[in-house]
Amino acid sequence: MKQTPESRPRAHLPPLFDLVRIREAFPILRRTVNGHPLIYLDNAATTQKPQGVIEVISRFYEQYNANIHRSVNLLGQLATQEFEEARAKVQRFLNAASAKEIIFTRGATEAINLVAQSFGRAFVQAGDEIVISHMEHHSNIVPWQMLCEEKGAKLRVIPIDENGELLLEEYEKLLTPRTKLVSVVHVSNSLGTINPVKEIIRIAHARGIPVLVDGAQAVSHMRVDVQDLDCDFYAFSGHKVYGPTGIGVLYGKEELLRKMPPWQGGGDMIASVTFAKTTYADLPNKFEAGTPDIAGAVGLGAAIDYVERVGLENIAAHEESLLQHATRRLQAIPGVRIIGKAARKTAVISFVVDDPPLSALDVGVKLDLHGIEIRTGHHCCQPVMDRYGIPGTARISFAMYNTIAEIDYVAEVLAKIVNEAAGKARPTPQVPRELIFPKPFAPSPAVAAAKLIETFDFLETWPERYQMILEFGRKLPPMPDELKTEANRVRGCQSTVHIAARKRPGTSDVLEFLADSDADLVRGLIAILQKVYSGQRVSDILSFDVENFFARLGLDKHLTLGRRNGLAAMVQRIRDLARQIAEEARQEEERLKEETQQRPAKSVSAGVS
Ligand code: PMP
């Protein structure tokens, strides 16, 4: 069709926000999860990728994969051109003054570590101070702690109030002539707070202190202009802005970057190398040792193109309406409490269920059964959870492709979960006066495992297995409150877990234990561990291959024995207790042996006389 001047799109108009087309662009949104259409609300952890980004990455490998820089061959030149074009896109995206100020890293974490190591090595000394805030992600805490430990410097923390807002008066008081850097998050991933970073930077600059902004949660939700903010460093990750994993960005003011030493040595960051002396490349290569994630950078460039086409202003407006609507819907569910009520928020709602008390973990697992993907736990912000006195939250986080209809569905399912839990509120168990430890489930852990594997083999799907785990949890022998002490608390679990073990009376090497958790799922896992371990000899406990057992149960995919869900922490505690009993038994045996040796041998002659 021939375009008339009227039908031709006018360049100065913002692009239209067409939610249907946006959703079509993300192929993953067409899949189902546990038999339901996927509702993806874990965008603060990572965002989904549009088809265009996926294709650009494939095309890179199909058509011009080669190593960048230093190349006379055509493919190498094409790859370099694409890589540097991606850098230019990031520069425009952040409105940086020069492409030299854009350093590609593995992600926000590596960007912050780069500053901590390089800036820190050059400018931080014993007695100096680094200021961060109470709402930082661990990746903006730990690198500074490491630096402070190395240098004998101190970490100072800006407190937050009950709403999850930084206390700016306190911030000002923390700044002293010893403050060498302020490093704060732009948007909190656990509370959704948008921090007044421009003001924070102005206050620090008035005292000559540079500021790093962790923008991991900001760049996909709002326009960021590093020159307007006047920040000295800005860090973000490609995967949280619709790009691939493995690529991220550190923006740094050229003047500062020039004064900083390189932090990793290797190829591509040098001007010349002799055994006597190496000189370094110009910016930004000085900070990009080794072959970078070339396809990742090209993919990030494509993601930025996509975001710009949709329009950050459009995305921000859409996400604001999602946030408002979801806040209203969740607040209307009795028993649900939102954590983080800052006046300026974006894209994140953290909540807990107080009444009936329902662990975030259970909420997350139950929503997953309905195809709703959220995140639960401390969200790598343990100090935030400690500030609110909670072990973790359930968190929904939005992206441009989420819809009001999805939120309505989530609210309905959540209300149902809360209602059901209220109906089934666990009656306070009748705790008997004397401790009742469960009888051994089988003669050995191996036999117990075989019986459990047989039971689970009948259950084909995860929802069926999940129901079985809950059923086990319902029959868990009660644990008296006086055993729920700090010493019996198992750290590293998303929920609150206690394990109290003893050597079975009348034996020297049999361990038995009681345990409990505030999460139904974890109570079920405890029941499984109890069936396998409790009442068993410590040598059998220690030789039992628990990882293989969980894999055979078919739960390893849902409950990794790895760091996060605490199953590993529980197993570790039980094994430690078993070792303790084994050690006591060994010492007792040695004592007896010594006693026998010291006892004067009965004289035969005496016996005869
Ligand atoms: N900062 C914040 C605020 C984050 O949310 C995250 C990721 N959750 C990071 C830093 C670290 O990002 P990455 O793991 O991609 O390096």
Side-chain angles (χ1 to χ4, degrees), residues 44-45 107-110 112 137 139 185 187 189 214 216-217 237 239-240:
T109 303
E110 191 173 78
I112 298 168
H137 187 276
S139 59
V185 70
V187 172
N189 65 308
D214 169 2
Q217 297 294 341
S237 298
H239 70 97
K240 293 187 200 271

Side-chain angles (χ1 to χ4, degrees), residues 113-185:
N113 275 276
L114 190 163
V115 178
Q117 288 302 308
S118 167
F119 176 92
R121 200 180 304 151
F123 301 117
V124 177
Q125 277 149 26
D128 285 344
E129 293 176 354
I130 307 285
V131 171
I132 59 169
S133 88
H134 203 120
M135 68 171 84
E136 299 308 317
H137 187 276
H138 294 164
S139 59
N140 199 23
I141 301 175
V142 185
W144 304 114
Q145 276 175 332
M146 288 162 65
L147 175 70
C148 286
E149 213 161 283
E150 198 180 306
K151 295 281 191 164
K154 269 203 210 107
L155 199 60
R156 310 299 303 270
V157 181
I158 312 165
I160 57 175
D161 66 13
E162 195 56 28
N163 286 332
E165 292 180 350
L166 292 179
L167 297 173
L168 285 189
E169 323 82 70
E170 299 300 318
Y171 162 58
E172 290 211 51
K173 286 189 219 152
L174 288 176
L175 301 178
T176 75
R178 307 248 58 169
T179 313
K180 282 290 165 336
L181 185 90
V182 172
S183 189
V184 285
V185 70

Side-chain angles (χ1 to χ4, degrees), residues 13-261:
L13 281 181
L16 286 176
F17 187 78
D18 183 341
L19 191 48
V20 175
R21 272 189 71 185
I22 287 171
R23 289 185 63 82
E24 280 170 0
F26 289 82
I28 205 168
L29 298 180
R30 295 196 276 277
R31 67 159 290 168
T32 56
V33 166
N34 290 321
H36 296 268
L38 165 66
I39 296 183
Y40 186 76
L41 289 168
D42 196 11
N43 295 288
T46 197
T47 51
Q48 299 303 343
K49 320 302 169 201
Q51 188 67 43
V53 169
I54 299 168
E55 278 169 12
V56 160
I57 296 168
S58 298
R59 200 166 342 118
F60 173 83
Y61 285 118
E62 282 165 11
Q63 296 184 12
Y64 47 91
N65 172 49
N67 210 331
I68 52 163
H69 302 146
R70 315 172 296 258
S71 180
V72 292
N73 68 56
L74 177 69
L75 291 192
Q77 287 165 17
L78 285 175
T80 305
Q81 209 175 314
E82 292 288 321
F83 183 76
E84 292 304 329
E85 180 49 34
R87 196 190 305 276
K89 285 177 187 174
V90 175
Q91 178 205 341
R92 290 193 291 272
F93 185 57
L94 295 180
N95 192 32
S98 150
K100 290 185 173 168
E101 299 182 317
I102 304 300
I103 296 157
F104 282 122
T105 63
R106 276 196 302 128
T109 303
E110 191 173 78
I112 298 168
N113 275 276
L114 190 163
V115 178
Q117 288 302 308
S118 167
F119 176 92
R121 200 180 304 151
F123 301 117
V124 177
Q125 277 149 26
D128 285 344
E129 293 176 354
I130 307 285
V131 171
I132 59 169
S133 88
H134 203 120
M135 68 171 84
E136 299 308 317
H137 187 276
H138 294 164
S139 59
N140 199 23
I141 301 175
V142 185
W144 304 114
Q145 276 175 332
M146 288 162 65
L147 175 70
C148 286
E149 213 161 283
E150 198 180 306
K151 295 281 191 164
K154 269 203 210 107
L155 199 60
R156 310 299 303 270
V157 181
I158 312 165
I160 57 175
D161 66 13
E162 195 56 28
N163 286 332
E165 292 180 350
L166 292 179
L167 297 173
L168 285 189
E169 323 82 70
E170 299 300 318
Y171 162 58
E172 290 211 51
K173 286 189 219 152
L174 288 176
L175 301 178
T176 75
R178 307 248 58 169
T179 313
K180 282 290 165 336
L181 185 90
V182 172
S183 189
V184 285
V185 70
H186 198 165
V187 172
S188 155
N189 65 308
S190 55
L191 302 168
T193 310
I194 304 175
N195 284 317
V197 283
K198 196 167 172 178
E199 176 68 359
I200 289 171
I201 293 163
R202 192 192 58 73
I203 293 169
H205 282 181
R207 294 159 174 81
I209 304 164
V211 180
L212 183 155
V213 179
D214 169 2
Q217 297 294 341
V219 288
S220 65
H221 304 297
M222 61 184 69
R223 187 156 298 285
V224 171
D225 180 333
V226 289
Q227 292 191 73
D228 178 52
L229 290 178
D230 200 21
C231 55
D232 301 274
F233 302 105
Y234 198 93
F236 76 91
S237 298
H239 70 97
K240 293 187 200 271
V241 59
Y242 310 101
T245 51
I247 189 80
V249 169
L250 173 69
Y251 156 82
K253 278 186 183 160
E254 186 172 342
E255 189 195 338
L256 249 174
L257 290 176
R258 285 204 181 282
K259 291 186 193 149
M260 288 160 47

Side-chain angles (χ1 to χ4, degrees), residues 329 333 405-417 419:
R329 292 292 316 248
I333 304 173
E406 285 180 332
I407 290 168
D408 285 336
Y409 180 65
V410 172
E412 275 166 35
V413 174
L414 181 62
K416 220 190 288 168
I417 290 170
N419 273 338

